[in-house]
Amino acid sequence: MMLSRRTALLGLTSSWALGRSALAVAGTATSVQQSRFVVVILRGALDGLAAVTPYGDVSLVSLRRDLLLPDPAQPGGLLDLGGFYGLHPALSGLHDLYANGQMLPVHAVAGHYRSRSHFEAQDYLESGADRRLNSGWLNRVAACLPVNHAAPDGNGLAMGLTVPLLLRGPARVGSYAPPSSQHPDQILYSQIAALNAADPVTGPAFRNGLKARGFSEATLDGTSPVQGKNGQKPSAFSVLADAAGRMLAVPTGPRLAALEIGGWDTHAGQKGRLNAPLRQLDDGLTALRMGLGPTWANTVILVMTEFGRTVHMNGTGGTDHGTATVAFLLGGAVKGGHVGGVWPGLKQIQLFENRDLAPTTDLRAVVSGVLRDHLGLSQAALVSVFPQIPFSPENGLIRQA
Amino acid sequence: MLFSGALTRFGWGPRGEDTLPFVPTRSELSEQITAPDAARFAQVGSTADGLIALRQQRKGKLQGDPLVKPLFQAEVATQLDALLLTNQPFRERLAWFWFNHFTVSLRQGGTRGIVGAYMREAIRPHITGKFSDLLLAVMRHPAMLMYLDNSSSIGPNSPAGLKRHRGLNENLARECLELHTLSPAGGYTQNDVTQFAAILTGWGVDMQAQQPGFSFHAKAHEPGPKTLMGKTFPDGEEGGLQALHFLGTHPATYRHIATQMVQHFIADTPDPADVTFVANVLHDTEGDLATASLALLDVPSKGNGGSKFRTPMDFAVAVMRALSLGQADTPSAPDDPRSAAHTLFGGFAFLGQPLWTAPLPNGWSDRAADWSAPADMMARADWAWRIAAHVKTGNPLDIAHHALGNTLRKPTIEAIKHAGARQDALTLLFTSPEFQRR
């Protein structure tokens, strides 16, 4: 309901002559215009049962005793999420957000595919289809948003040296990596751009690279304020997350961004190995929040991975490739403070193919709910983002202003 | 008629002092891979040396890799020197292509002390032999067994499994089927992955031996015959040998590696006729990689799809070779950060493709779409500018003609002629569209 009204009025924000009630709704549309959406890809398949552990499920202990952390309230234990689930203690920043109602884990999600190949699954996850497309779903979202004349690279921003498939496609997007301190001057840069102008691949790349750099450096004014804990160097992910936050905080800046972080493919020694990447993720998401500043209130961040891992521990204290896992939504616009999704159970007959957490929520339904209620995408726009599915977007993910 | 620029397509770009013509003859190219490997590696250890260093570090609880690090630095120095100096660039490209096909990454598995030895001992000796021999050498090398966890995979019904309640780790088995051999087009199932993992149980690393290295741990091997792709393989190490021979000579494997080769050497989107052509050669020669590599010169498309976009690694090597950096008589010192090899090592990382550190077991992409984002191009401009700052002699236009031969375009010549400084002229050369291609 809310949705169709918003959608219908998108684009009317500059109509001064509207009546009082319409102006009020236009205000809503303005806030939709200001909304920001960030996607963090966890490459390598995060074990959802380790990140958000259903410690209240009686079957859990027999399946993976040696992988489990103590229950909440015990030393080194899980951080409680409402009495059935517990959050991994390395995710303490996320737990604070949960306590503030700004973090929503959704459990037992999976893409629409059932591949256990990292590479196929990542392609499908980013394509948003059951085959590899030449564009990613976030690029198609960028194409649905009003043209952003003020941002030199349009609505989307890839953080890192390369653009992930998620953001590739016809809509123009920027990419950002921290600039080096030594580089050619403006004149030489423009000669390089001219030399490449006619080339279909390098021409646009240099053109947009220069635009992005002028834009970025003005925004980022030199050194990054991000500090690691205990004076340590911040991780590359935190540096990029901080930069992303500050670039998204510019009112006329990009509205969509993608980041990625690896380290999740825990076939062996999982219990020890997961601490570092989880902490890096948590620190980076904190840096992103700090970088966003007040824009945090209008932001939704989705953290997603290509598939989950086996419920049973494997022979080497790790887990192998599985199916359903957890996804996180966080941000000032998220209606959090509980765990979403439908718990499928862990009894042997409840497992998918006798080994994996069974999927109960299509990740695209979660994404569609965010796109509809946060970015104001119409039904027609949603179909252009996820072409193949008869989906029903999840309700109630976004805080209504 | 060979492709224009075959010396860069099949090699790494000309060195300043190269006397090979920019478009070599077929026999000049084929000689590069039929003659024995001329690369010589100085001051390096064996796989056993690397494992001993790792063992000592663990035993002494030494922090900061004090024993492994010098071995690694020596490998970087000598292997990147070889890449900069090689007179067999086609062979050298094949070596790095096959390393990437059988990726071992420093991101996991603790292989820093042996990854260089893996390249020299498992990959290089087999790149012009039979594919199934290359596959076997890789699958028995401690670097691969450690990187993809097989050294700790245990048959649940083996004596060790029953005693310690441990079991399978599917990682190596899955990636071997998916990436190294059949590919998903081969039609294997989850059950095949599990069966293959059981076949490979016991294939591990003996760290305690005087000369540590590959060892078949019979007590960790899942007992009994196993069935993979409808074929039954016997118990024991023999089952693994047979299974790898079966996979290494399977038609789906030939098709898959032909696709990878055509994609690397000919076009980002391989022409199916080219793939069939190379796959047929592999089939007819029982997987002879020298013959298949030479067949790339004769693919039906004749390379009409255009040139290949250089990856960061290709780009950095080509820049340094064009500038004749690195000297045969003064090898890079392993601990000298200003040496040619370590400059190249730093360049790979700066440009987004750090050496032996691919994100995942499928290795680095070699497609243009993955390396041509705005930030990629800006990084190339910045790195080229920094390297060019150190060049104090030579006429940039001569360097350009030598590096790009008949692919050098008029606008680039004009830009170089009008540049105000040598550093600027060389930066323009290295950022020109034609220099981004091989």
Side-chain angles (χ1 to χ4, degrees):
Chain A
M1 234 170 51
M2 187 69 194
L3 150 80
S4 54
R5 232 174 30 170
R6 271 187 182 183
T7 311
L9 286 162
L10 256 181
L12 292 185
T13 50
S14 57
S15 300
W16 291 84
L18 289 171
R20 206 173 139 227
S21 63
L23 261 184
V25 184
T28 313
T30 305
S31 74
V32 168
Q33 289 271 2
Q34 287 167 348
S35 56
R36 298 289 189 266
F37 181 44
V38 183
V39 180
V40 179
I41 306 172
L42 310 183
R43 289 195 195 279
L46 165 70
D47 181 20
L49 295 178
V52 175
T53 306
Y55 69 87
D57 190 309
V58 291
S59 305
L60 186 66
V61 173
S62 65
L63 296 166
R64 45 162 64 199
R65 178 187 306 275
D66 293 344
L67 292 180
L68 295 176
L69 295 173
D71 284 354
Q74 296 187 46
L78 297 165
L79 308 172
D80 197 32
L81 300 173
F84 180 81
Y85 297 104
L87 192 64
H88 194 288
L91 297 173
S92 57
L94 284 188
H95 193 253
D96 293 344
L97 293 176
Y98 177 89
N100 289 332
Q102 296 185 338
M103 200 281 277
L104 172 66
V106 185
H107 225 315
V109 297
H112 43 297
Y113 45 85
R114 293 293 169 262
S115 169
R116 292 194 187 95
S117 152
H118 290 301
F119 318 110
E120 280 180 7
Q122 288 176 20
D123 280 352
Y124 303 159
L125 175 75
E126 295 175 65
S127 294
D130 57 11
R131 61 202 159 87
R132 185 189 160 100
L133 306 177
N134 288 325
S135 67
W137 61 259
L138 195 59
N139 184 283
R140 301 195 292 273
V141 172
C144 292
L145 297 178
V147 177
N148 185 347
H149 293 290
D153 285 314
N155 288 308
L157 178 65
M159 302 302 294
L161 266 181
T162 56
V163 180
L165 175 59
L166 180 70
L167 254 180
R168 277 193 221 149
R172 202 168 51 148
V173 298
S175 67
Y176 174 81
S180 71
S181 52
Q182 305 167 286
H183 49 68
D185 61 24
Q186 212 61 46
I187 299 168
L188 184 54
Y189 273 143
S190 55
Q191 288 173 329
I192 293 170
L195 186 57
N196 284 276
D199 189 279
V201 177
T202 61
F206 273 117
R207 201 157 50 241
N208 291 326
L210 284 173
K211 279 187 194 164
R213 188 165 287 183
F215 174 74
S216 311
E217 284 178 357
T219 308
L220 298 171
D221 56 32
T223 54
S224 161
V226 185
Q227 297 294 326
K229 284 188 181 150
N230 311 320
Q232 287 171 340
K233 221 173 116 187
S235 72
F237 179 70
S238 279
V239 170
L240 283 179
D242 165 70
R246 288 193 283 155
M247 292 167 76
L248 290 164
V250 176
T252 54
R255 298 177 57 198
L256 309 171
L259 292 113
E260 45 192 280
I261 175 172
W264 312 105
D265 198 16
T266 47
H267 286 281
Q270 168 170 308
K271 204 171 169 182
R273 229 182 237 184
L274 261 184
N275 286 313
L278 285 172
R279 198 161 292 125
Q280 277 178 23
L281 174 67
D282 197 65
D283 289 348
L285 292 171
T286 300
L288 181 57
R289 176 167 59 83
M290 304 297 277
L292 281 162
T295 309
W296 170 257
N298 305 323
T299 298
V300 172
I301 300 163
L302 165 68
V303 181
M304 64 179 195
T305 189
E306 67 263 32
F307 44 68
R309 310 191 67 86
T310 46
V311 172
H312 296 266
M313 188 174 81
N314 70 7
T316 54
T319 49
D320 290 318
H321 300 182
T323 305
T325 183
V326 73
F328 296 100
L329 291 174
L330 53 146
V334 170
K335 196 166 159 189
H338 64 281
V339 178
V342 177
W343 185 244
L346 293 175
K347 294 198 189 98
Q348 196 63 34
I349 54 157
Q350 293 170 321
L351 299 183
F352 178 71
E353 294 182 354
N354 294 318
R355 55 180 267 157
D356 302 341
L357 183 64
T360 52
T361 300
D362 186 328
L363 181 61
R364 291 171 306 174
V366 176
V367 175
S368 306
V370 172
L371 298 179
R372 183 190 64 185
D373 296 344
H374 182 56
L375 295 179
L377 259 58
S378 66
Q379 183 71 15
L382 290 178
V383 172
S384 75
V385 172
F386 294 120
Q388 294 159 321
I389 38 151
F391 55 77
S392 45
E394 288 282 318
N395 292 313
L397 304 173
I398 302 300
R399 200 174 288 284
Q400 301 298 343
Chain B
M1 179 62 197
L2 290 178
F3 308 103
S4 80
L7 195 57
T8 53
R9 172 77 69 102
F10 292 93
W12 293 93
R15 274 185 75 79
E17 70 273 22
D18 262 355
T19 50
L20 275 175
F22 192 74
V23 183
T25 62
R26 174 183 310 279
S27 69
E28 280 165 337
L29 267 180
S30 86
E31 199 173 308
Q32 293 181 22
I33 63 170
T34 48
D37 190 348
R40 294 293 172 265
F41 301 104
Q43 294 183 300
V44 288
S46 62
T47 298
D49 293 331
L51 293 172
I52 290 169
L54 188 60
R55 181 170 73 194
Q56 313 265 73
Q57 282 186 183
R58 284 183 185 160
K59 205 169 155 195
K61 297 199 164 61
L62 307 177
Q63 299 298 309
D65 263 6
L67 305 176
V68 160
K69 191 176 170 190
L71 289 172
F72 178 73
Q73 287 179 325
E75 294 284 2
V76 169
T78 193
Q79 295 204 31
L80 295 189
D81 271 357
L83 186 49
L84 288 174
L85 295 165
T86 182
N87 291 319
Q88 297 174 307
F90 191 10
R91 173 177 283 281
E92 198 64 30
R93 178 164 284 286
L94 287 170
W96 291 91
F97 166 77
W98 285 112
F99 182 97
N100 195 54
H101 181 80
F102 292 110
T103 287
V104 163
S105 169
L106 299 177
R107 292 191 196 216
Q108 65 175 47
T111 59
R112 197 173 175 214
I114 55 174
V115 65
Y118 168 71
M119 172 64 144
R120 291 181 294 102
E121 295 175 8
I123 305 286
R124 295 190 75 107
H126 300 103
I127 55 174
T128 51
K130 298 283 187 202
F131 176 77
S132 54
D133 292 337
L134 174 61
L135 175 66
L136 181 60
V138 162
M139 296 290 283
R140 287 171 89 86
H141 196 278
M144 184 58 82
L145 294 167
M146 288 159 67
Y147 172 52
L148 292 180
D149 303 315
N150 205 72
S151 49
S152 49
S153 181
I154 293 174
N157 298 306
S158 68
L162 293 171
K163 191 171 151 202
R164 292 160 57 196
H165 303 289
R166 293 176 70 91
L168 295 180
N169 183 314
E170 295 176 355
N171 204 11
L172 178 62
R174 178 184 303 280
E175 306 304 12
C176 182
L177 293 176
E178 178 180 345
L179 303 173
H180 302 158
T181 61
L182 303 176
S183 88
Y188 57 85
T189 63
Q190 173 61 43
N191 190 46
D192 289 317
V193 173
T194 309
Q195 290 284 307
F196 187 36
I199 290 172
L200 290 178
T201 48
W203 287 51
V205 181
D206 183 350
M207 287 296 286
Q208 303 315 320
Q210 197 178 0
Q211 287 290 298
F214 173 82
S215 152
F216 178 73
H217 303 289
K219 285 188 175 154
H221 183 70
E222 179 72 0
K226 295 103 189 161
T227 306
L228 168 64
M229 301 285 288
K231 203 167 146 51
T232 302
F233 294 94
D235 184 46
E237 183 179 4
E238 180 58 24
L241 296 173
Q242 288 184 18
L244 285 171
H245 189 265
F246 168 71
L247 292 170
T249 54
H250 196 284
T253 298
Y254 290 149
R255 181 100 201 152
H256 176 55
I257 62 175
T259 306
Q260 300 291 100
M261 292 172 84
V262 172
Q263 182 173 301
H264 184 80
F265 284 94
I266 310 296
D268 285 7
T269 307
D271 183 331
D274 288 359
V275 173
T276 301
F277 181 78
V278 176
N280 285 345
V281 171
L282 286 164
H283 193 267
D284 294 346
T285 60
E286 292 173 340
D288 186 81
L289 295 178
T291 315
S293 303
L294 288 173
L296 290 166
L297 304 175
D298 301 313
V299 287
S301 75
K302 301 290 177 208
N304 288 339
S307 50
K308 283 280 298 182
F309 198 81
R310 279 179 163 148
T311 64
M313 186 175 179
D314 292 336
F315 174 80
V317 173
V319 166
M320 292 193 63
R321 282 175 65 91
L323 295 173
S324 304
L325 295 174
Q327 294 300 328
D329 48 2
T330 49
S332 296
D335 55 354
D336 177 8
R338 297 157 64 98
S339 67
H342 284 89
T343 302
L344 187 58
F345 180 77
F348 292 166
F350 182 84
L351 298 168
Q353 197 179 11
L355 183 69
W356 295 328
T357 313
L360 288 167
N362 59 343
W364 297 107
S365 163
D366 53 16
R367 291 180 302 190
D370 295 308
W371 297 115
S372 57
D376 286 315
M377 290 298 105
M378 297 304 289
R380 290 186 189 200
D382 293 353
W383 188 74
W385 191 79
R386 280 196 236 168
I387 296 294
H390 300 290
V391 181
K392 303 298 181 203
T393 57
N395 177 345
L397 204 51
D398 293 344
I399 294 172
H401 278 294
H402 200 80
L404 292 173
N406 56 0
T407 62
L408 180 64
R409 298 172 321 134
K410 271 220 172 66
T412 306
I413 296 174
E414 289 306 310
I416 291 171
K417 275 186 183 162
H418 290 104
R422 177 181 281 115
Q423 184 181 8
D424 290 3
L426 291 172
T427 306
L428 286 162
L429 163 63
F430 297 140
T431 54
S432 66
E434 59 268 42
F435 200 89
Q436 311 315 311
R437 271 74 174 202
R438 64 176 170 93

PDB file of all heavy atoms in Angstrom, chain B residues 36 57 75 92 172 181 189 204 261 282 404 408 412 430:
ATOM      1  N   PRO B  36      64.678 -27.792 -24.254  1.00  0.00           N
ATOM      2  CA  PRO B  36      64.515 -27.935 -22.801  1.00  0.00           C
ATOM      3  C   PRO B  36      64.403 -26.574 -22.119  1.00  0.00           C
ATOM      4  O   PRO B  36      64.866 -25.571 -22.649  1.00  0.00           O
ATOM      5  CB  PRO B  36      65.806 -28.647 -22.367  1.00  0.00           C
ATOM      6  CG  PRO B  36      66.450 -29.157 -23.607  1.00  0.00           C
ATOM      7  CD  PRO B  36      65.925 -28.356 -24.757  1.00  0.00           C
ATOM      8  N   GLN B  57      59.874 -23.947  12.566  1.00  0.00           N
ATOM      9  CA  GLN B  57      59.148 -22.783  13.080  1.00  0.00           C
ATOM     10  C   GLN B  57      58.055 -23.208  14.050  1.00  0.00           C
ATOM     11  O   GLN B  57      57.847 -22.588  15.089  1.00  0.00           O
ATOM     12  CB  GLN B  57      58.508 -22.000  11.925  1.00  0.00           C
ATOM     13  CG  GLN B  57      59.474 -21.140  11.161  1.00  0.00           C
ATOM     14  CD  GLN B  57      58.787 -20.266  10.122  1.00  0.00           C
ATOM     15  OE1 GLN B  57      59.454 -19.556   9.402  1.00  0.00           O
ATOM     16  NE2 GLN B  57      57.466 -20.301  10.024  1.00  0.00           N
ATOM     17  N   GLU B  75      62.757 -17.412  -3.785  1.00  0.00           N
ATOM     18  CA  GLU B  75      61.930 -17.884  -4.901  1.00  0.00           C
ATOM     19  C   GLU B  75      61.409 -16.714  -5.725  1.00  0.00           C
ATOM     20  O   GLU B  75      61.413 -16.744  -6.958  1.00  0.00           O
ATOM     21  CB  GLU B  75      60.727 -18.699  -4.380  1.00  0.00           C
ATOM     22  CG  GLU B  75      61.090 -20.011  -3.687  1.00  0.00           C
ATOM     23  CD  GLU B  75      61.475 -21.116  -4.661  1.00  0.00           C
ATOM     24  OE1 GLU B  75      61.499 -20.875  -5.884  1.00  0.00           O
ATOM     25  OE2 GLU B  75      61.757 -22.242  -4.190  1.00  0.00           O
ATOM     26  N   GLU B  92      57.614 -19.857 -20.905  1.00  0.00           N
ATOM     27  CA  GLU B  92      57.421 -19.166 -19.637  1.00  0.00           C
ATOM     28  C   GLU B  92      55.939 -18.816 -19.435  1.00  0.00           C
ATOM     29  O   GLU B  92      55.420 -18.921 -18.326  1.00  0.00           O
ATOM     30  CB  GLU B  92      58.289 -17.902 -19.624  1.00  0.00           C
ATOM     31  CG  GLU B  92      58.541 -17.314 -18.255  1.00  0.00           C
ATOM     32  CD  GLU B  92      59.349 -18.227 -17.337  1.00  0.00           C
ATOM     33  OE1 GLU B  92      60.185 -19.015 -17.827  1.00  0.00           O
ATOM     34  OE2 GLU B  92      59.118 -18.154 -16.116  1.00  0.00           O
ATOM     35  N   LEU B 172      39.678 -30.629  -1.841  1.00  0.00           N
ATOM     36  CA  LEU B 172      40.537 -30.902  -2.997  1.00  0.00           C
ATOM     37  C   LEU B 172      39.784 -31.711  -4.055  1.00  0.00           C
ATOM     38  O   LEU B 172      39.882 -31.444  -5.247  1.00  0.00           O
ATOM     39  CB  LEU B 172      41.804 -31.651  -2.568  1.00  0.00           C
ATOM     40  CG  LEU B 172      42.738 -32.030  -3.728  1.00  0.00           C
ATOM     41  CD1 LEU B 172      43.251 -30.801  -4.462  1.00  0.00           C
ATOM     42  CD2 LEU B 172      43.914 -32.860  -3.235  1.00  0.00           C
ATOM     43  N   THR B 181      39.991 -30.699 -13.759  1.00  0.00           N
ATOM     44  CA  THR B 181      39.787 -31.750 -14.759  1.00  0.00           C
ATOM     45  C   THR B 181      38.455 -31.619 -15.501  1.00  0.00           C
ATOM     46  O   THR B 181      38.371 -30.894 -16.488  1.00  0.00           O
ATOM     47  CB  THR B 181      39.923 -33.153 -14.136  1.00  0.00           C
ATOM     48  OG1 THR B 181      38.939 -33.341 -13.119  1.00  0.00           O
ATOM     49  CG2 THR B 181      41.304 -33.347 -13.527  1.00  0.00           C
ATOM     50  N   THR B 189      28.348 -35.658  -9.854  1.00  0.00           N
ATOM     51  CA  THR B 189      27.344 -35.354  -8.836  1.00  0.00           C
ATOM     52  C   THR B 189      28.036 -35.165  -7.481  1.00  0.00           C
ATOM     53  O   THR B 189      29.233 -35.421  -7.330  1.00  0.00           O
ATOM     54  CB  THR B 189      26.352 -36.521  -8.680  1.00  0.00           C
ATOM     55  OG1 THR B 189      27.102 -37.656  -8.211  1.00  0.00           O
ATOM     56  CG2 THR B 189      25.687 -36.856 -10.006  1.00  0.00           C
ATOM     57  N   GLY B 204      48.717 -37.407   1.650  1.00  0.00           N
ATOM     58  CA  GLY B 204      49.047 -36.345   2.584  1.00  0.00           C
ATOM     59  C   GLY B 204      50.526 -36.030   2.603  1.00  0.00           C
ATOM     60  O   GLY B 204      51.277 -36.365   1.681  1.00  0.00           O
ATOM     61  N   MET B 261      42.741 -23.024 -22.419  1.00  0.00           N
ATOM     62  CA  MET B 261      43.886 -22.608 -23.235  1.00  0.00           C
ATOM     63  C   MET B 261      43.454 -21.598 -24.295  1.00  0.00           C
ATOM     64  O   MET B 261      44.109 -20.575 -24.495  1.00  0.00           O
ATOM     65  CB  MET B 261      44.541 -23.829 -23.903  1.00  0.00           C
ATOM     66  CG  MET B 261      45.232 -24.767 -22.913  1.00  0.00           C
ATOM     67  SD  MET B 261      45.801 -26.319 -23.674  1.00  0.00           S
ATOM     68  CE  MET B 261      47.376 -25.801 -24.358  1.00  0.00           C
ATOM     69  N   LEU B 282      44.329 -32.834 -28.202  1.00  0.00           N
ATOM     70  CA  LEU B 282      44.590 -33.475 -26.903  1.00  0.00           C
ATOM     71  C   LEU B 282      44.140 -34.927 -26.936  1.00  0.00           C
ATOM     72  O   LEU B 282      44.830 -35.831 -26.456  1.00  0.00           O
ATOM     73  CB  LEU B 282      43.868 -32.714 -25.791  1.00  0.00           C
ATOM     74  CG  LEU B 282      44.505 -31.372 -25.405  1.00  0.00           C
ATOM     75  CD1 LEU B 282      43.525 -30.519 -24.592  1.00  0.00           C
ATOM     76  CD2 LEU B 282      45.796 -31.594 -24.604  1.00  0.00           C
ATOM     77  N   LEU B 404      56.186  -2.509 -29.245  1.00  0.00           N
ATOM     78  CA  LEU B 404      54.873  -2.701 -29.848  1.00  0.00           C
ATOM     79  C   LEU B 404      54.932  -3.062 -31.324  1.00  0.00           C
ATOM     80  O   LEU B 404      53.893  -3.393 -31.925  1.00  0.00           O
ATOM     81  CB  LEU B 404      54.015  -1.443 -29.648  1.00  0.00           C
ATOM     82  CG  LEU B 404      53.612  -1.186 -28.191  1.00  0.00           C
ATOM     83  CD1 LEU B 404      52.920   0.168 -28.048  1.00  0.00           C
ATOM     84  CD2 LEU B 404      52.694  -2.287 -27.678  1.00  0.00           C
ATOM     85  N   LEU B 408      52.066  -0.561 -32.932  1.00  0.00           N
ATOM     86  CA  LEU B 408      52.169   0.829 -32.459  1.00  0.00           C
ATOM     87  C   LEU B 408      51.371   1.746 -33.396  1.00  0.00           C
ATOM     88  O   LEU B 408      51.556   1.710 -34.611  1.00  0.00           O
ATOM     89  CB  LEU B 408      53.645   1.243 -32.420  1.00  0.00           C
ATOM     90  CG  LEU B 408      53.958   2.672 -31.950  1.00  0.00           C
ATOM     91  CD1 LEU B 408      53.551   2.863 -30.488  1.00  0.00           C
ATOM     92  CD2 LEU B 408      55.453   2.970 -32.118  1.00  0.00           C
ATOM     93  N   THR B 412      49.767   7.348 -30.813  1.00  0.00           N
ATOM     94  CA  THR B 412      50.693   7.102 -29.705  1.00  0.00           C
ATOM     95  C   THR B 412      52.066   7.664 -30.044  1.00  0.00           C
ATOM     96  O   THR B 412      52.731   8.275 -29.196  1.00  0.00           O
ATOM     97  CB  THR B 412      50.761   5.589 -29.409  1.00  0.00           C
ATOM     98  OG1 THR B 412      49.433   5.107 -29.197  1.00  0.00           O
ATOM     99  CG2 THR B 412      51.613   5.305 -28.186  1.00  0.00           C
ATOM    100  N   PHE B 430      53.042   3.398 -22.053  1.00  0.00           N
ATOM    101  CA  PHE B 430      52.530   2.274 -21.257  1.00  0.00           C
ATOM    102  C   PHE B 430      51.030   2.383 -20.984  1.00  0.00           C
ATOM    103  O   PHE B 430      50.407   1.400 -20.582  1.00  0.00           O
ATOM    104  CB  PHE B 430      53.311   2.168 -19.945  1.00  0.00           C
ATOM    105  CG  PHE B 430      54.776   1.868 -20.147  1.00  0.00           C
ATOM    106  CD1 PHE B 430      55.754   2.485 -19.382  1.00  0.00           C
ATOM    107  CD2 PHE B 430      55.183   0.972 -21.130  1.00  0.00           C
ATOM    108  CE1 PHE B 430      57.103   2.216 -19.583  1.00  0.00           C
ATOM    109  CE2 PHE B 430      56.526   0.692 -21.343  1.00  0.00           C
ATOM    110  CZ  PHE B 430      57.490   1.323 -20.565  1.00  0.00           C
TER     111      PHE B 430
END
